[in-house]
Amino acid sequence: MGIVSPGFFGRRGSGDTKLPPGQYLTHDFPVLSAGPTPRIDLDSWQFVVTTEIGQRKQWSWQELTSLPSEDITKDIHCVTKWSKLGTHWKGVPVETLLADVETAADYVMAHSYGGYTTNLPLEDLLNGQAWIAYQYDGAPLPPEHGGPARLLVPHLYFWKSAKWVRGLELMLADEPGFWETAGYHDYGDPWREQRYQGD
């Protein structure tokens, strides 16, 4: 999987009630990745939803960015303890991509270019909680922040917002992704400090 870039251990306890416990406020946008940054040609980029019985629905870059999109302003919280407030994104709601998909699944594995994976409950990707984001601050999402597109699930720790996302696999049972296999929490709620298994 490659080298894991180092974490940030900053000031603790800013006293800001907008911050989850144990987080500190940052105004920059730290870059953390599990391995090298993939460079993805938009002409060959695709996003695929695969159901638990193997049915596939896919979109090209042009098809995905032609879907109805939303402007999103959300706080984000990294497990390495930094938080960034009021971040601005544009993307397609995940429920739009799942609108015509028949499934009995309760869980999802997000898959990324480069091999990264992360698991989530399906319900956390619905009802205006998650997007496939392709713009940040009014510009195309840069590769170091997950461009051309990343999963955006801002109510969970940011490792759940998979960079360079290429698909969602719907699953009947939960399975751990990359960081979860390494001991990170399966859910990752920053307000409950669910950083590691057992938290």
Side-chain angles (χ1 to χ4, degrees):
M1 195 65 178
I3 298 170
V4 177
S5 50
F8 292 79
F9 300 94
R11 300 164 301 282
R12 297 181 186 210
S14 71
D16 191 327
T17 56
K18 288 186 178 181
L19 295 181
Q23 297 292 108
Y24 72 90
L25 184 63
T26 186
H27 296 288
D28 58 0
F29 197 161
V31 175
L32 299 165
S33 301
T37 299
R39 303 293 170 172
I40 302 142
D41 180 4
L42 294 183
D43 290 334
S44 59
W45 183 94
Q46 65 175 5
F47 185 85
V48 180
V49 171
T50 307
T51 71
E52 68 275 17
I53 60 170
Q55 293 179 335
R56 290 164 54 94
K57 188 173 181 183
Q58 66 185 50
W59 295 262
S60 67
W61 180 254
Q62 183 174 359
E63 289 168 340
L64 182 106
T65 55
S66 296
L67 292 172
S69 61
E70 295 179 356
D71 293 313
I72 309 125
T73 301
K74 293 288 183 180
D75 303 338
I76 55 176
H77 309 289
C78 183
V79 71
T80 59
K81 301 190 176 181
W82 60 262
S83 290
K84 186 172 177 63
L85 304 183
T87 61
H88 303 289
W89 308 81
K90 182 175 184 177
V92 177
V94 170
E95 60 233 35
T96 298
L97 303 173
L98 299 179
D100 297 323
V101 174
E102 291 188 21
T103 183
D106 290 320
Y107 299 96
V108 175
M109 185 72 75
H111 291 270
S112 297
Y113 289 95
Y116 180 80
T117 57
T118 192
N119 56 306
L120 307 104
L122 177 57
E123 65 182 1
D124 282 87
L125 302 184
L126 305 176
N127 302 313
Q129 297 183 95
W131 299 263
I132 304 301
Y134 54 83
Q135 285 188 13
Y136 176 74
D137 263 354
L141 183 61
E144 64 268 23
H145 291 307
R150 78 179 295 158
L151 180 63
L152 179 64
V153 192
H155 67 283
L156 300 178
Y157 279 126
F158 213 43
W159 90 81
K160 294 292 187 177
S161 293
K163 293 181 176 182
W164 316 301
V165 70
R166 64 174 178 83
L168 299 176
E169 175 190 359
L170 305 178
M171 306 183 299
L172 295 177
D174 199 13
E175 296 178 17
F178 175 78
W179 283 120
E180 296 80 13
T181 300
Y184 279 54
H185 201 279
D186 281 322
Y187 187 63
D189 183 344
W191 296 97
R192 292 191 281 170
E193 285 199 271
Q194 293 177 334
R195 302 177 195 275
Y196 306 107
Q197 298 292 344
D199 285 350

